[in-house]
Amino acid sequence: MRIIRGKDYQEVSRITARLIAAQVLLKPESVLGLATGGSPVGTYANLVEAYRRGELDFSRVRTVNLDEYVGLGPEHPQSYAYYMRRNLFDHVNLDPGSTFLPDGLAQDAGEACARYDRLLESLGGQDLQLLGLGGNGHIGFNEPGDAFLLPTHRVALTESTISANARFFESREEVPRWAYTMGIRGILAARRIVMVATGIAKAQAVYDVFFGPVTPQVPGSILQLHPDVTLVGDPEALSLTPAENR
Ligand code: F6R
């Protein structure tokens, strides 16, 4: 595992965008695994700027997102499909037919999850998977206590995740209680993993994920077993890691 320190959110975002840009430059037909939430917003903004400067071409890139809320369709402003269009897809030359998220409105949850796993397999896995980190150690919406190697599945969000995500909704009551998430199995299939973590609220989770025991109680800790993980963090998020990283 590599740790790269940026001095603040802006620098972390620039560094993370550069890692993704390098991936796309080296392999224009890359499969990018993407995340939502607050952490990658700045990364996407930097990618959009690089595209506008003519430095990046997304025309052959395909994307697969980690998760989607159950019950929210792509036009719902809090759906992850909407988030992706607003923050990235609408601003670069990605082919809309090459961007994939779990279907929040699927009638048959089991079939929707199996379909997403077949899709991941048909794409050949992600060349690079971007991750945020939940304050409780979740990656995607693989919450503490889930068995490690699940495929895509429907998950009940924990109270702490519902509280953390309430900031994106008008009230806590509006936060969906369920989500579809790529499983740990799908995340680990990525050839490279890049995680963004900033702010003091992530410090304990960063420590537990990368320096604690590997346990399903801390879902991200399985990343210790992956051969190519880069964590890009700010000084606050890295504040509990061994001194040489801070
Ligand atoms: C989002 C996702 C989640 C978030 C995590 C951190 O697609 O999969 O794991 O990355 O909840 O969220 P933020 O970045 O909002 O702190």
PDB file of all heavy atoms in Angstrom, residues 1 4 28 58 97 110 113 134-135 140-141 190 211-212 225 238:
ATOM      1  N   MET A   1       0.836  -1.193   0.000  1.00  0.00           N
ATOM      2  CA  MET A   1       0.000   0.000   0.000  1.00  0.00           C
ATOM      3  C   MET A   1       0.877   1.251   0.000  1.00  0.00           C
ATOM      4  O   MET A   1       1.885   1.310   0.684  1.00  0.00           O
ATOM      5  CB  MET A   1      -0.848  -0.018   1.277  1.00  0.00           C
ATOM      6  CG  MET A   1      -1.941   0.997   1.299  1.00  0.00           C
ATOM      7  SD  MET A   1      -1.773   2.234   2.606  1.00  0.00           S
ATOM      8  CE  MET A   1      -1.258   1.278   3.993  1.00  0.00           C
ATOM      9  N   ILE A   4      -0.114   8.661  -0.142  1.00  0.00           N
ATOM     10  CA  ILE A   4       0.310   9.965  -0.668  1.00  0.00           C
ATOM     11  C   ILE A   4      -0.407  11.024   0.151  1.00  0.00           C
ATOM     12  O   ILE A   4      -1.626  10.957   0.337  1.00  0.00           O
ATOM     13  CB  ILE A   4      -0.069  10.133  -2.162  1.00  0.00           C
ATOM     14  CG1 ILE A   4       0.511   8.993  -3.000  1.00  0.00           C
ATOM     15  CG2 ILE A   4       0.415  11.482  -2.682  1.00  0.00           C
ATOM     16  CD1 ILE A   4       0.158   9.066  -4.478  1.00  0.00           C
ATOM     17  N   PRO A  28      -6.553   4.191 -22.996  1.00  0.00           N
ATOM     18  CA  PRO A  28      -7.751   4.991 -23.292  1.00  0.00           C
ATOM     19  C   PRO A  28      -9.060   4.204 -23.165  1.00  0.00           C
ATOM     20  O   PRO A  28     -10.114   4.803 -22.985  1.00  0.00           O
ATOM     21  CB  PRO A  28      -7.522   5.428 -24.742  1.00  0.00           C
ATOM     22  CG  PRO A  28      -6.045   5.341 -24.947  1.00  0.00           C
ATOM     23  CD  PRO A  28      -5.580   4.190 -24.091  1.00  0.00           C
ATOM     24  N   PHE A  58     -12.244  10.792 -22.897  1.00  0.00           N
ATOM     25  CA  PHE A  58     -12.985   9.721 -22.213  1.00  0.00           C
ATOM     26  C   PHE A  58     -13.810   8.885 -23.193  1.00  0.00           C
ATOM     27  O   PHE A  58     -14.622   8.078 -22.760  1.00  0.00           O
ATOM     28  CB  PHE A  58     -13.924  10.320 -21.163  1.00  0.00           C
ATOM     29  CG  PHE A  58     -13.226  10.889 -19.953  1.00  0.00           C
ATOM     30  CD1 PHE A  58     -12.844  12.219 -19.915  1.00  0.00           C
ATOM     31  CD2 PHE A  58     -12.952  10.086 -18.849  1.00  0.00           C
ATOM     32  CE1 PHE A  58     -12.201  12.751 -18.799  1.00  0.00           C
ATOM     33  CE2 PHE A  58     -12.311  10.610 -17.725  1.00  0.00           C
ATOM     34  CZ  PHE A  58     -11.941  11.933 -17.704  1.00  0.00           C
ATOM     35  N   GLY A  97     -23.833   5.469 -22.879  1.00  0.00           N
ATOM     36  CA  GLY A  97     -24.094   4.024 -22.930  1.00  0.00           C
ATOM     37  C   GLY A  97     -22.970   3.204 -22.316  1.00  0.00           C
ATOM     38  O   GLY A  97     -23.078   1.980 -22.200  1.00  0.00           O
ATOM     39  N   GLY A 110     -32.574  -9.499  -6.446  1.00  0.00           N
ATOM     40  CA  GLY A 110     -31.612 -10.573  -6.703  1.00  0.00           C
ATOM     41  C   GLY A 110     -31.127 -10.542  -8.139  1.00  0.00           C
ATOM     42  O   GLY A 110     -29.923 -10.644  -8.415  1.00  0.00           O
ATOM     43  N   CYS A 113     -28.827  -7.521  -8.857  1.00  0.00           N
ATOM     44  CA  CYS A 113     -27.457  -7.709  -8.354  1.00  0.00           C
ATOM     45  C   CYS A 113     -26.688  -8.681  -9.241  1.00  0.00           C
ATOM     46  O   CYS A 113     -25.522  -8.433  -9.586  1.00  0.00           O
ATOM     47  CB  CYS A 113     -27.499  -8.224  -6.912  1.00  0.00           C
ATOM     48  SG  CYS A 113     -28.163  -7.011  -5.762  1.00  0.00           S
ATOM     49  N   GLY A 134     -16.023   5.149   4.483  1.00  0.00           N
ATOM     50  CA  GLY A 134     -17.001   5.506   5.511  1.00  0.00           C
ATOM     51  C   GLY A 134     -16.311   5.683   6.856  1.00  0.00           C
ATOM     52  O   GLY A 134     -15.291   5.037   7.133  1.00  0.00           O
ATOM     53  N   GLY A 135     -16.864   6.540   7.684  1.00  0.00           N
ATOM     54  CA  GLY A 135     -16.309   6.731   9.022  1.00  0.00           C
ATOM     55  C   GLY A 135     -16.324   5.440   9.826  1.00  0.00           C
ATOM     56  O   GLY A 135     -15.549   5.272  10.783  1.00  0.00           O
ATOM     57  N   GLY A 140     -17.630   1.184  -0.664  1.00  0.00           N
ATOM     58  CA  GLY A 140     -18.940   1.035  -1.278  1.00  0.00           C
ATOM     59  C   GLY A 140     -19.917   1.137  -0.116  1.00  0.00           C
ATOM     60  O   GLY A 140     -19.723   1.922   0.813  1.00  0.00           O
ATOM     61  N   PHE A 141     -20.973   0.328  -0.122  1.00  0.00           N
ATOM     62  CA  PHE A 141     -21.833   0.268   1.062  1.00  0.00           C
ATOM     63  C   PHE A 141     -21.688  -1.103   1.723  1.00  0.00           C
ATOM     64  O   PHE A 141     -22.653  -1.658   2.236  1.00  0.00           O
ATOM     65  CB  PHE A 141     -23.279   0.586   0.711  1.00  0.00           C
ATOM     66  CG  PHE A 141     -23.576   2.060   0.676  1.00  0.00           C
ATOM     67  CD1 PHE A 141     -24.335   2.600  -0.348  1.00  0.00           C
ATOM     68  CD2 PHE A 141     -23.113   2.925   1.669  1.00  0.00           C
ATOM     69  CE1 PHE A 141     -24.621   3.953  -0.384  1.00  0.00           C
ATOM     70  CE2 PHE A 141     -23.390   4.279   1.637  1.00  0.00           C
ATOM     71  CZ  PHE A 141     -24.145   4.793   0.606  1.00  0.00           C
ATOM     72  N   ALA A 190     -10.573  -5.201  -8.920  1.00  0.00           N
ATOM     73  CA  ALA A 190      -9.914  -4.086  -9.622  1.00  0.00           C
ATOM     74  C   ALA A 190      -8.408  -4.297  -9.613  1.00  0.00           C
ATOM     75  O   ALA A 190      -7.838  -4.751  -8.625  1.00  0.00           O
ATOM     76  CB  ALA A 190     -10.255  -2.763  -8.933  1.00  0.00           C
ATOM     77  N   PHE A 211      -4.056  -0.223   9.189  1.00  0.00           N
ATOM     78  CA  PHE A 211      -3.086  -0.637  10.206  1.00  0.00           C
ATOM     79  C   PHE A 211      -3.681  -1.539  11.273  1.00  0.00           C
ATOM     80  O   PHE A 211      -2.974  -2.000  12.161  1.00  0.00           O
ATOM     81  CB  PHE A 211      -2.430   0.603  10.836  1.00  0.00           C
ATOM     82  CG  PHE A 211      -1.703   1.435   9.820  1.00  0.00           C
ATOM     83  CD1 PHE A 211      -2.331   2.523   9.229  1.00  0.00           C
ATOM     84  CD2 PHE A 211      -0.424   1.093   9.408  1.00  0.00           C
ATOM     85  CE1 PHE A 211      -1.675   3.280   8.252  1.00  0.00           C
ATOM     86  CE2 PHE A 211       0.239   1.837   8.440  1.00  0.00           C
ATOM     87  CZ  PHE A 211      -0.389   2.938   7.866  1.00  0.00           C
ATOM     88  N   GLY A 212      -4.979  -1.795  11.213  1.00  0.00           N
ATOM     89  CA  GLY A 212      -5.618  -2.667  12.185  1.00  0.00           C
ATOM     90  C   GLY A 212      -5.728  -4.088  11.656  1.00  0.00           C
ATOM     91  O   GLY A 212      -5.228  -4.402  10.570  1.00  0.00           O
ATOM     92  N   LEU A 225      -4.996  -6.783   1.755  1.00  0.00           N
ATOM     93  CA  LEU A 225      -4.626  -7.988   0.997  1.00  0.00           C
ATOM     94  C   LEU A 225      -4.521  -7.720  -0.499  1.00  0.00           C
ATOM     95  O   LEU A 225      -4.173  -8.611  -1.260  1.00  0.00           O
ATOM     96  CB  LEU A 225      -5.666  -9.097   1.236  1.00  0.00           C
ATOM     97  CG  LEU A 225      -5.963  -9.426   2.696  1.00  0.00           C
ATOM     98  CD1 LEU A 225      -6.927 -10.605   2.775  1.00  0.00           C
ATOM     99  CD2 LEU A 225      -4.685  -9.743   3.451  1.00  0.00           C
ATOM    100  N   LEU A 238      -4.760  11.402   7.910  1.00  0.00           N
ATOM    101  CA  LEU A 238      -3.577  10.556   8.151  1.00  0.00           C
ATOM    102  C   LEU A 238      -3.030  10.713   9.564  1.00  0.00           C
ATOM    103  O   LEU A 238      -1.999  10.130   9.896  1.00  0.00           O
ATOM    104  CB  LEU A 238      -2.475  10.915   7.137  1.00  0.00           C
ATOM    105  CG  LEU A 238      -2.835  10.720   5.654  1.00  0.00           C
ATOM    106  CD1 LEU A 238      -1.660  11.128   4.770  1.00  0.00           C
ATOM    107  CD2 LEU A 238      -3.244   9.279   5.364  1.00  0.00           C
TER     108      LEU A 238
END
